[in-house]
């Protein structure tokens, strides 16, 4: 099959991104003659890269760290969701206009909106205040969670983010005093590598919360992190980070092709390729 359309992901460094696997698998599954490549681009070359997107043109681009905010200045239009999150992770064409959207929010919400997980949360505690935390906060507000608290190792960063979304903060050292029923790990603690044995919350912390709730880890490699293992020991429900990763990719593919991929099939494809 000779590809007729070109897609890709840009970021720096791109390392072990699973996005090419997801999208090339989906193109093949649906007999779409397209290819999805990795385009590592340094921040200084982002403007040149966008010129290439317009001239080649590329039919769609996934955008990741560190370009999610900087790319916004180079686009013709930006969706409401991306404006709310203050970040773009998806480029697509809309009537000749290079457009930006944020599918991380849909990805984050996907597992919380399935029938099995459907419940209302009274208080969400967000651990971390980096790039992913913005999509989480936008998602939590879309979900209508009434009480949202951010804790971050560097407290001033939590305050800046909390001001942006009009939510509360708690010092990192006091994160186990919040009593949340939804706790989200948006730090790299628990990821393969130096942090794999770490968790921002332990079994005792989960037990100290007034009620059993849901622990949601954004980390997906490994699938079973220490954070989720400690939550299970305390009787909590868990959601692993692969749900969000698959959800954002499924939404990107829908924007680009109009095709709704099966969550189970995508998850199977990616999970089989995690180390
Ligand atoms: P980021 O922008 O680099 O932010 C990292 C956050 O983690 C910061 O708040 C940072 O705190 C905190 N942190 C880092 N090391 C820490 C430590 N040793 N102890 C406590 N806090 C620490 O990263 P990001 O893009 O937000 O990503 C965060 C995590 O989410 C990563 O593991 C990433 O792989 C995952 N993620 C998953 C998905 C998905 O689809 N499942 C999507 C995006 C991200 P300081 O501000 O104090 O440095």
């Amino acid at each position: 099959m000779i590809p007729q359309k070109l897609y890709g992901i840009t970021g720096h460094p791109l390392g072990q991104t699973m996005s090419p696997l997801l999208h090339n698998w989906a193109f093949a599954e649906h007999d779409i003659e397209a290819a999805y490549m990795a385009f590592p681009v340094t921040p200084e070359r982002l403007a040149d890269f966008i010129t290439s997107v317009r001239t080649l043109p590329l039919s769609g681009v996934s955008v990741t760290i560190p370009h999610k905010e900087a790319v916004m200045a180079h686009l013709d239009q930006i969706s409401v969701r991306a404006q709310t999150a203050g970040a773009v992770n998806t480029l697509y064409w809309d009537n000749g206009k290079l457009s930006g959207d944020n599918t991380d929010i849909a990805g984050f919400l996907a597992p919380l909106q399935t029938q099995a997980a459907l419940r209302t949360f009274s208080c969400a505690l967000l651990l971390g205040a980096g790039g992913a935390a913005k999509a989480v906060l936008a998602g939590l507000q879309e979900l209508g969670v009434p009480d949202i608290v951010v804790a971050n190792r560097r407290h001033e960063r939590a305050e800046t983010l909390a001001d942006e979304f009009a939510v509360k903060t708690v010092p990192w050292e006091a994160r186990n005093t919040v009593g949340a029923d939804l706790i989200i790990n948006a730090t790299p603690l628990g990821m393969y590598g130096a942090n794999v044995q770490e968790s921002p919350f332990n079994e005792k912390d989960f037990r100290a919360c007034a009620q059993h709730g849901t622990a949601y880890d954004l980390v997906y490699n490994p699938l079973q992190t220490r954070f989720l293992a400690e939550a299970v020991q305390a009787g909590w429900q868990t959601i692993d980070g692969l749900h969000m990763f698959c959800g954002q990719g499924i939404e990107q593919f829908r924007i680009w092709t109009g095709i709704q991929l099966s969550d189970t099939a995508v998850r199977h494809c990616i999970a089989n390729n995690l180390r």
Side-chain angles (χ1 to χ4, degrees):
M1 189 185 292
I2 298 170
Q4 303 294 316
K5 287 185 171 182
L6 183 59
Y7 295 80
I9 179 166
T10 187
H12 197 272
L14 277 177
Q16 301 177 349
T17 172
M18 303 299 269
S19 294
L21 175 72
L22 190 162
H23 291 292
N24 284 320
W25 166 83
F27 287 137
E29 279 290 296
H30 292 275
D31 295 325
I32 296 172
E33 296 175 346
Y36 183 105
M37 291 178 58
F39 298 108
V41 170
T42 57
E44 312 81 66
R45 303 299 306 274
L46 181 63
D48 290 344
F49 175 72
I50 297 297
T51 304
S52 311
V53 172
R54 291 181 186 277
T55 45
L56 280 173
L58 265 76
S59 300
V61 180
S62 311
V63 181
T64 188
I65 295 169
H67 303 321
K68 286 186 179 185
E69 293 174 14
V71 77
M72 295 171 84
H74 300 278
L75 307 179
D76 303 328
Q77 58 184 19
I78 292 165
S79 72
V80 174
R81 262 189 168 172
Q83 285 173 32
T84 307
V88 158
N89 81 326
T90 308
L91 307 189
Y92 66 102
W93 291 97
D94 176 20
N95 286 321
K97 289 185 173 162
L98 186 57
S99 308
D101 203 345
N102 188 312
T103 69
D104 286 333
I105 303 171
F108 170 71
L109 287 175
L112 294 171
Q113 291 170 326
T114 60
Q115 205 55 37
L118 210 55
R119 56 168 285 185
T120 51
F121 298 102
S122 55
C123 177
L125 171 64
L126 170 60
L127 303 168
K134 284 188 170 192
V136 171
L137 285 180
L140 291 173
Q141 292 191 322
E142 217 174 294
L143 208 58
V145 179
D147 196 10
I148 301 172
V149 185
V150 184
N152 192 54
R153 182 177 59 176
R154 282 183 287 159
H155 190 64
E156 63 278 10
R157 209 170 169 198
E159 301 236 290
T160 306
L161 188 66
D163 283 351
E164 212 176 299
F165 285 85
V167 297
K168 293 188 260 181
T169 63
V170 68
W172 184 247
E173 298 69 29
R175 61 194 183 281
N176 55 1
T177 63
V178 173
D181 55 359
L182 173 62
I183 301 178
I184 301 125
N185 176 30
T187 77
L189 296 179
M191 251 173 91
Y192 266 129
N195 292 324
V196 74
Q197 291 301 333
E198 296 184 46
S199 170
F201 223 70
N202 61 37
E203 182 185 345
K204 201 164 135 239
D205 298 331
F206 282 113
R207 286 193 189 278
C209 295
Q211 50 190 319
H212 283 178
T214 301
Y216 190 152
D217 205 337
L218 265 52
V219 172
Y220 62 87
N221 205 355
L223 278 181
Q224 291 308 320
T225 57
R226 174 139 178 223
F227 174 73
L228 296 185
E230 303 253 350
V232 168
Q233 279 162 16
W236 280 48
Q237 293 193 331
T238 60
I239 298 173
D240 66 58
L242 193 53
H243 288 284
M244 177 170 172
F245 177 77
C246 293
Q248 61 79 30
I250 288 170
E251 180 61 7
Q252 284 188 333
F253 199 78
R254 190 196 62 73
I255 289 171
W256 293 334
T257 66
I259 295 170
Q260 184 69 41
L261 299 171
S262 145
D263 182 51
T264 315
V266 172
R267 190 177 167 88
H268 190 253
C269 163
I270 303 295
N272 278 347
N273 285 278
L274 291 176
R275 68 183 181 115

